[in-house]
Amino acid sequence: MADTFSPTAPRVIVAGGINVDLVVAPTETLVRGTSNPGAISIHAGGVARNIAEFLARLKVPVALVGRVGHEALSRWVVTATKTAGVDVDGVDEGEGTVGFYVTIQEDGDLGTAISDLAATERITPDLLVSALSRYGHPGRMCPEILVLDCNLLPETLQAALSWANQRDVFVVVEPVSRHKARRLV
């Protein structure tokens, strides 16, 4: 896949959250304690997955490293990501299900959101380093940039940073949220 891209584009690996996004858009003012009218849409999502897809659409050679489950929604998200042009060989099918992110919009903007990213939090340091190490061999994309999202646990982030430092790979970290940015400390 790398030979289809511009030789000047940086090669990027993105590691972190892969999930299904449910976007809830009420059509009237929300009333607690009752059913509310609105629209619900489903999207392939996850901070890392979204970044990887955007980069692929810009014709940047990009690979995604993360974890999903074995169920139909996991396969759907991975297929959508691969179709967008992302190398998904670093996506592990683990136990459980794909992560979920549910947002309730208010006036078209993010109002409240809840994330259940248990699959991403099951990415151990060893699992991530093993996936990252698949790259850089002959015939594989050798990354120049590693993008990490803070859906990864602190010890996994540290292992990824160590891997990148040993290979002189530039690192970009997406904090995700105020709560998860604390993982950088």
Side-chain angles (χ1 to χ4, degrees):
M1 192 168 148
D3 50 343
T4 62
F5 295 95
S6 163
T8 59
R11 294 171 306 277
V12 181
I13 294 178
V14 184
I18 302 170
N19 48 285
V20 171
D21 289 351
L22 296 173
V23 179
V24 179
T27 54
E28 297 177 14
T29 303
L30 286 175
V31 178
R32 295 177 75 70
T34 189
S35 178
N36 289 272
I40 300 173
S41 58
I42 185 170
H43 308 273
V47 173
R49 196 217 69 85
N50 290 347
I51 291 169
E53 180 176 331
F54 294 144
L55 289 171
R57 292 184 187 281
L58 292 171
K59 304 297 184 209
V60 172
V62 61
L64 178 62
V65 173
R67 191 164 218 198
V68 295
H70 290 292
E71 85 292 354
L73 282 173
S74 288
R75 288 188 298 277
W76 172 73
V77 169
V78 172
T79 299
T81 306
K82 184 175 183 176
T83 301
V86 177
D87 174 340
V88 294
D89 289 346
V91 176
D92 179 66
E93 289 187 6
E95 295 184 20
T97 64
V98 69
F100 287 92
Y101 180 82
V102 180
T103 178
I104 300 174
Q105 294 186 339
E106 294 178 16
D107 300 321
D109 291 326
L110 172 64
T112 297
I114 303 219
S115 60
D116 176 2
L117 301 180
T120 302
E121 292 185 344
R122 284 194 298 273
I123 299 172
T124 64
D126 289 341
L127 181 71
L128 182 60
V129 168
S130 175
L132 291 172
S133 295
R134 293 179 199 163
Y135 299 93
H137 300 290
R140 295 301 308 227
M141 178 181 75
C142 183
E144 296 169 303
I145 299 172
L146 174 62
V147 179
L148 303 169
D149 80 30
C150 286
N151 287 310
L152 297 167
L153 293 175
E155 58 272 15
T156 306
L157 287 166
Q158 182 59 52
L161 291 169
S162 294
W163 179 89
N165 285 336
Q166 292 170 4
R167 288 157 184 80
D168 200 29
V169 173
F170 185 81
V171 177
V172 176
V173 179
E174 164 57 58
V176 178
S177 69
R178 283 188 237 170
H179 175 74
K180 291 188 176 175
R182 294 182 205 138
R183 294 178 175 186
L184 292 172
V185 177

